[in-house]
Amino acid sequence: ISASTDKGLFWGVQTLRQLLPLSKTAPAEIPAVRIEDAPGYAWRGVMLDVSRHFYPVSFVEKQLDLLSYYKINTFHWHLTDDQGWRIQIKRYPKLTSVGAWRIEADGTRYGGFYTQAQIREVVDYARRRNITVIPEIEMPGHSVAAIAAYPELSCSKQQVAVTTAWGVHKNIDCVGDEGTFTFLENVLDEALPLFPSQSVHIGGDETPKIAWHECASCQALMPQLGLKDEDGLQSYFIKRIQHYLEDKGRTLVG
């Protein structure tokens, strides 16, 4: 096996593994072949949403073993959404004491989260299998779990529960409140050291503007920024987070 980089050599070993028989009791024979292989895409990714359905570290690591075997090199870890917040942020403990749990229709409490130590373990486990972990921390929409923990993030400032309903929710981060950006920057400041990846995913889609349309501070912000509508506010929000990540040497994905 020869390759131009260590990573290429690693994938060459995976090719060799794939040529071996599936049964452990079968003779360890492989066909006499010559394989010249190169990836069609530099980013070969799989996304796992642990916000809707939480999976323990043992399950995540088993997935990483399988992804590596099939030469998938990017693990997109969807860590926050309306139905659950899964990453420990020490500055904001309610994100995991409140935001990580929901009450199902039958009255059971469902959820869970990963400590920062567990996240470091998973990221290193992936690194040793040639996989980069890309975190996703959703904003400004898909943020009900965060708002349940800290209602001041929303335009209404009213207490809500972590939702059990799927779909797109109208309760979103308040773009007109400077405290929203303070919160999100503090979250990113804790999360970024856990993930050495160049890319950071913020979601950014499915953001109904109803709350912003009815919010006095959001409406006041539009003429200040020279914006004609709430769609402009969403662009302002995304660009502001993009610039913040750029200052940290990271690239926004959304």
Side-chain angles (χ1 to χ4, degrees), residues 225-244:
L225 300 174
L227 304 173
K228 63 181 181 179
D229 56 26
E230 290 81 9
D231 287 335
L233 284 176
Q234 185 175 0
S235 292
Y236 159 76
F237 189 109
I238 299 299
K239 288 175 183 175
R240 182 163 171 178
I241 297 297
Q242 178 190 9
H243 293 151
Y244 187 79

Side-chain angles (χ1 to χ4, degrees), residues 28 31 37 50 53 57 82 114 121 132 151 178 181 187 195 203 216 226 247:
D37 191 21
V50 295
H53 300 286
V57 168
D82 297 311
Y114 307 104
E121 175 190 332
T132 299
E178 191 63 23
F181 293 97
V187 166
F195 301 95
D247 287 343

Side-chain angles (χ1 to χ4, degrees), residues 20 23-24 27 35-36 48 54 56 65 69 73 107 180 188 202 205 215 246 248 250 253:
L20 292 168
S23 172
K24 292 182 180 179
I35 296 174
E36 293 186 19
L48 181 65
F54 180 72
D65 287 338
Y69 181 77
N73 68 355
T180 297
L188 290 171
I202 67 155
D205 64 337
C215 171
E246 281 179 345
K248 302 290 183 179
R250 305 299 182 97
V253 180

Side-chain angles (χ1 to χ4, degrees), residues 88-99:
Q88 179 191 30
I89 302 296
K90 295 178 181 178
R91 184 163 184 161
Y92 299 110
K94 288 184 179 179
L95 287 173
T96 44
S97 66
V98 176

Side-chain angles (χ1 to χ4, degrees), residues 114-166:
Y114 307 104
T115 66
Q116 292 188 8
Q118 288 175 315
I119 287 174
R120 288 191 185 94
E121 175 190 332
V122 169
V123 169
D124 189 60
Y125 192 92
R127 179 192 60 79
R128 287 184 276 117
R129 285 151 182 80
N130 226 9
I131 297 172
T132 299
V133 180
I134 307 292
E136 179 172 353
I137 298 174
E138 287 265 6
M139 60 186 84
H142 289 282
S143 51
V144 172
I147 291 170
Y150 295 96
E152 60 269 26
L153 294 172
S154 68
C155 293
S156 71
K157 315 300 183 190
Q158 295 179 357
Q159 184 66 59
V160 297
V162 178
T163 185
T164 59
W166 310 135

